Amino acid sequence: MNTQPLSVKSLVIAFLIYVVTTVILAVVLSVFWQSGIDTTAYSQQQLIDMAAQSNLLTIGSMIIGSLMAVICAYFITRRTGSDGYKHAMYFAGLLILYGILGVFLHPEHHVIQQAAKLLAPAPLCLLGAWFALANMNKKHDKMSHGAC
């Protein structure tokens, strides 16, 4: 049985879910951040500068991206079966390419943020795949014991 079309389809779906969800959650976070600020008292550039220095937005964005990477890696591992970590690592590769784009689009970010965009996807995706495989093995073990 050839699972290649399913793998590519699942990779594309997981990546689109990642991008759309992180963008939506980042907008929600930004709206929450702006709700505590009198935006009429500042110019657009001042608001941009304040956002760039906001710890809430920086840490919140990193948490959103990290959680979504784990969730999407979990999804793709569950969807593609028990091929181990292979598909999660393909997904991590896509996230690294997306991170490279982010480095070029946001050169104002700190070096640690830039490094995280490139280094964090692999361990986060491995974690998501590990959760998926552990969950699949647990279900398999319950089914095996129930058959006895």
Side-chain angles (χ1 to χ4, degrees):
M1 185 171 119
N2 185 5
T3 61
Q4 190 61 27
L6 178 64
S7 299
V8 172
K9 181 179 174 183
S10 294
L11 275 171
V12 170
I13 290 170
F15 185 70
L16 289 175
I17 288 171
Y18 176 85
V19 171
V20 169
T21 306
T22 54
V23 167
I24 289 170
L25 291 175
V27 168
V28 169
L29 180 65
S30 180
V31 167
F32 174 76
W33 174 76
Q34 286 180 2
S35 69
I37 298 172
D38 179 18
T39 56
T40 59
Y42 300 100
S43 70
Q44 187 70 18
Q45 187 58 45
Q46 288 173 319
L47 287 172
I48 290 171
D49 293 340
M50 287 171 59
Q53 296 173 2
S54 170
N55 288 334
L56 174 69
L57 292 179
T58 300
I59 293 169
S61 296
M62 292 174 106
I63 290 171
I64 289 168
S66 298
L67 288 176
M68 285 310 302
V70 172
I71 290 168
C72 289
Y74 176 90
F75 164 77
I76 196 161
T77 302
R78 289 294 304 251
R79 180 102 168 106
T80 56
S82 59
D83 279 342
Y85 297 94
K86 180 174 81 171
H87 295 97
M89 292 312 295
Y90 289 152
F91 180 66
L94 283 175
L95 292 182
I96 290 169
L97 291 174
Y98 187 59
I100 291 170
L101 178 65
V103 168
F104 287 111
L105 291 177
H106 301 286
E108 73 277 3
H109 288 171
H110 298 286
V111 173
I112 191 79
Q113 287 176 279
Q114 303 291 29
K117 291 175 191 178
L118 305 177
L119 299 175
L124 291 171
C125 289
L126 286 173
L127 179 64
W130 179 79
F131 281 137
L133 292 171
N135 192 349
M136 287 191 299
N137 288 338
K138 188 187 305 183
K139 285 185 179 181
H140 182 335
D141 289 345
K142 283 183 182 179
M143 290 172 49
S144 296
H145 291 298
C148 294

